[in-house]
Amino acid sequence: MRIDIITIHPQLLESPFQHSILKRAIAKGIVEVNLINLRDYSTFKQKQVDDYAFGGGAGMVMMIEPIANCIEQLKSERTYDEIIYTTPDGETLNQQQCNRFSTLKNIIILCGHYKGIDERIREHFITKEISIGDYVLSGGELAAAVLCDGIIRLIPGVLNDETSALTDSFQDNLLAPPVYTRPADYNGWKVPEILLSGHLSNIDKWRHEKSVERTKQRRPDIYSKFKNGTD
Ligand code: ADE
């Protein structure tokens, strides 16, 4: 998979790809992530990429030309399955979307800034608008990092234990069950007896029950999807 991220802060996005699972996925050649500095596509002397909003009002708007030049250049080199814009007014990211994105070959992620991007970019280039939650960040970079992490870990070969992504919270509309490790007794706080029993089918049953109980208590919205068998 190839992910091209268009940003005015490429350095802000370097670190998430230099550690742990994402670093390994890149080293193994399973994913290629390119950080593209939008300012390189500005035709202005000062590398300007934003301007005042028509109609007035506070806040700058990202201009069409640098973004269009950048996207056109990328599109002339390969076909993209999605051109995603990270914005608080997009669709809220969920596990099902991460699953789908993880099956794609080439995607662009455009990180928003200031008051947003000229609407015509959204109309003519963007195929998907993604929010990572109902709060406003200073820019789309951290949202892009979250999106990439959610996607890349699902690509086959990235996680060592292939099954561990399948048992994540949300994969089957259930939150994950509680987990424990040694010691079995910490100052009288004991691990549930069943987990020490060695009886695998009983343990699976207990974990499933705990998942259902937890989902019902904490996320009734997801619990109803689980009960109805819908996504
Ligand atoms: N940019 C600013 N806030 C954001 C959010 N919540 N999700 C995605 N992109 C954003």
Side-chain angles (χ1 to χ4, degrees), residues 53-132:
F54 277 128
M60 306 292 274
V61 176
M62 287 172 80
M63 292 187 288
I64 290 194
E65 286 104 328
I67 298 173
N69 292 344
C70 182
I71 294 178
E72 293 286 17
Q73 169 76 39
L74 291 169
K75 282 173 73 171
S76 73
E77 291 163 5
R78 67 197 64 75
T79 305
Y80 285 92
D81 302 302
E82 290 283 12
I83 302 181
I84 301 170
Y85 171 49
T86 52
T87 175
D89 60 359
E91 283 173 47
T92 311
L93 185 64
N94 61 30
Q95 192 63 43
Q96 280 71 36
Q97 282 164 322
C98 288
N99 290 344
R100 192 180 75 77
F101 291 144
S102 76
T103 65
L104 304 180
K105 192 160 179 280
N106 300 317
I107 64 172
I108 292 174
I109 303 177
L110 170 64
C111 304
H113 252 274
Y114 313 115
K115 273 283 163 207
I117 58 175
D118 190 301
E119 188 66 18
R120 290 166 289 181
I121 291 287
R122 300 171 77 154
E123 288 166 6
H124 297 287
F125 289 108
I126 301 301
T127 60
K128 198 89 189 157
E129 302 189 329
I130 292 290
S131 162
I132 62 160

Side-chain angles (χ1 to χ4, degrees), residues 114-170:
Y114 313 115
K115 273 283 163 207
I117 58 175
D118 190 301
E119 188 66 18
R120 290 166 289 181
I121 291 287
R122 300 171 77 154
E123 288 166 6
H124 297 287
F125 289 108
I126 301 301
T127 60
K128 198 89 189 157
E129 302 189 329
I130 292 290
S131 162
I132 62 160
D134 290 343
Y135 43 84
V136 179
L137 304 168
S138 333
E141 281 73 16
L142 297 181
V146 167
L147 177 59
C148 287
D149 191 301
I151 296 172
I152 293 171
R153 61 190 296 285
L154 296 172
I155 304 173
V158 171
L159 295 183
N160 285 332
D161 177 0
E162 286 277 353
T163 62
S164 76
L166 298 174
T167 56
D168 283 342
S169 279
F170 303 112

Side-chain angles (χ1 to χ4, degrees), residues 12-24:
L12 180 57
L13 271 168
E14 279 170 11
S15 174
F17 300 102
Q18 288 171 350
H19 303 275
S20 182
I21 290 170
L22 302 194
K23 176 184 178 183
R24 206 171 58 221

